[in-house]
Amino acid sequence: MDREPHEKTEIYETELKTQDKKPFIVIIQGKELGKVHPISCPCTIGRSNGCDIRLMHPSVSRVHARITFDHGYYIEDDNSTNGVYIENKKIDGREAIQNGDIIRIGSQIIKFSLNTSSELVYHEEIYDMATKDPLTHLYNRRYFMDTGSSNIERSFRNKQKVCLATFDIDFFKRVNDSFGHAFGDTVLKDFAMALARFTRETDLAARIGGEEFAVLFFGASLKQVIAICKSILQYQKEKIYSVKDETFQVTVSAGVCALNQRSDSELSIDRLMAIADEALYQAKTQGRDQVVAI
């Protein structure tokens, strides 16, 4: 029997809504708070490089759990050390999960969501607002320190080379005082673009202060990073600014250190930042517009 036109419309709209449902999890407690992970089943969760969703915390097993779909979504404990909990109840084997369920993986707490793609975009935008610098669109200091710390620990365990570079725009206060904060913002954005030009997606670049920036380089030697930093400084120096009939250049100083030259007792991003800042201070006192490595 044929349906009425309005019935066909309702069925079509329902099908569209169902097709638009996008499963994802949001981290609501723990490292990378607010980060969104879209789910494509089957989906593994754990600390291992091979997991689809990585939760970088010691309480999370290398392969901790998996999410599957079978006329509904299910989560299964993959013989983890600290278990999987749904709404504070430890699961035994495989359990169904519903929209809005709160799940604990080790000490990390996530929320399972089965909502429209527009809500996924909303959560991603909120996460960007929490982790990105609004002016330069680089990561902010909090994200850099939190994520950098876990990445450094993983790289050290995998014997991967890691270098840290800190940058400071020379005489930036003079730039602001002479030409205004709007022009100062332009300089900051230009230098952020210079960092993006010479770094890879696997590196971690951030604005960590007013005119201060930092980059963690993964898989690159100290010699390679020094060369990259020199290219960044030269690229910035070649940019000619013109304000109030005056043309000038804005230079940058940089300090660099390498993780693979440090002992295990010094394994922390705070310690590496202190070493790189010491090198940066030397670059400043030795005349600016240069790279110093320790």
Side-chain angles (χ1 to χ4, degrees), residues 104-231:
R104 178 152 59 90
I105 307 284
S107 66
Q108 303 290 96
I109 298 179
I110 63 178
K111 178 182 177 181
F112 176 75
S113 187
L114 182 58
N115 284 307
T116 61
S117 56
S118 60
E119 182 162 346
L120 172 60
V121 171
Y122 166 77
H123 280 290
E124 289 174 337
E125 289 178 350
I126 292 296
Y127 181 67
D128 272 353
M129 290 172 63
T131 59
K132 297 284 185 72
D133 171 53
L135 178 67
T136 62
H137 303 295
L138 297 177
Y139 287 111
N140 58 29
R141 184 184 184 90
R142 178 181 176 181
Y143 181 89
F144 181 81
M145 298 299 286
D146 288 347
T147 303
S149 179
S150 59
N151 286 347
I152 285 172
E153 292 171 8
R154 183 176 71 253
S155 296
F156 190 84
R157 289 195 302 269
N158 296 336
K159 298 182 179 180
Q160 180 188 32
K161 294 177 181 178
V162 179
C163 292
L164 172 64
T166 56
F167 302 85
D168 189 274
I169 298 176
D170 298 328
F171 302 113
F172 187 70
K173 185 177 184 301
R174 186 186 300 175
V175 170
N176 272 338
D177 292 345
S178 300
F179 305 109
H181 289 276
F183 177 74
D185 287 350
T186 298
V187 173
L188 292 171
K189 288 187 285 187
D190 284 347
F191 184 66
M193 292 176 64
L195 289 183
R197 180 183 179 90
F198 288 95
T199 55
R200 303 159 301 173
E201 289 186 5
T202 52
D203 300 324
L204 181 62
R207 181 187 178 194
I208 59 173
E211 69 272 26
E212 300 172 28
F213 298 79
V215 180
L216 275 167
F217 295 90
F218 298 99
S221 68
L222 183 63
K223 183 178 180 180
Q224 289 172 323
V225 170
I226 291 171
I228 293 168
C229 290
K230 286 181 177 179
S231 296

Side-chain angles (χ1 to χ4, degrees), residues 91-104:
I91 71 171
D92 183 15
R94 190 176 78 148
E95 294 283 344
I97 49 176
Q98 307 294 329
N99 182 34
D101 276 350
I102 305 301
I103 303 168
R104 178 152 59 90

Side-chain angles (χ1 to χ4, degrees), residues 22-89:
K22 303 293 182 182
F24 59 92
I25 64 166
V26 183
I27 299 175
I28 60 175
Q29 182 177 310
K31 285 184 175 291
E32 299 190 300
L33 177 66
K35 187 169 184 178
V36 177
H37 292 278
I39 295 171
S40 179
C41 291
C43 172
T44 54
I45 303 174
R47 285 189 294 110
S48 170
N49 285 333
C51 287
D52 300 303
I53 296 177
R54 301 188 66 201
L55 300 180
M56 299 306 299
H57 192 273
S59 65
V60 178
S61 297
R62 289 183 57 80
V63 181
H64 198 112
R66 63 186 68 245
I67 296 175
T68 56
F69 181 82
D70 182 13
H71 303 291
Y73 289 92
Y74 293 83
I75 190 166
E76 181 179 358
D77 189 337
D78 200 340
N79 297 314
S80 69
T81 301
N82 295 311
V84 176
Y85 294 77
I86 301 176
E87 305 291 350
N88 291 321
K89 182 180 178 181

Side-chain angles (χ1 to χ4, degrees), residues 1-19:
M1 180 177 179
D2 291 338
R3 296 183 183 271
E4 293 296 323
H6 71 277
E7 290 179 307
K8 292 181 180 179
T9 301
E10 289 175 358
I11 292 172
Y12 177 69
E13 290 177 348
T14 300
E15 288 175 349
L16 280 181
K17 289 176 182 178
T18 302
Q19 293 168 6

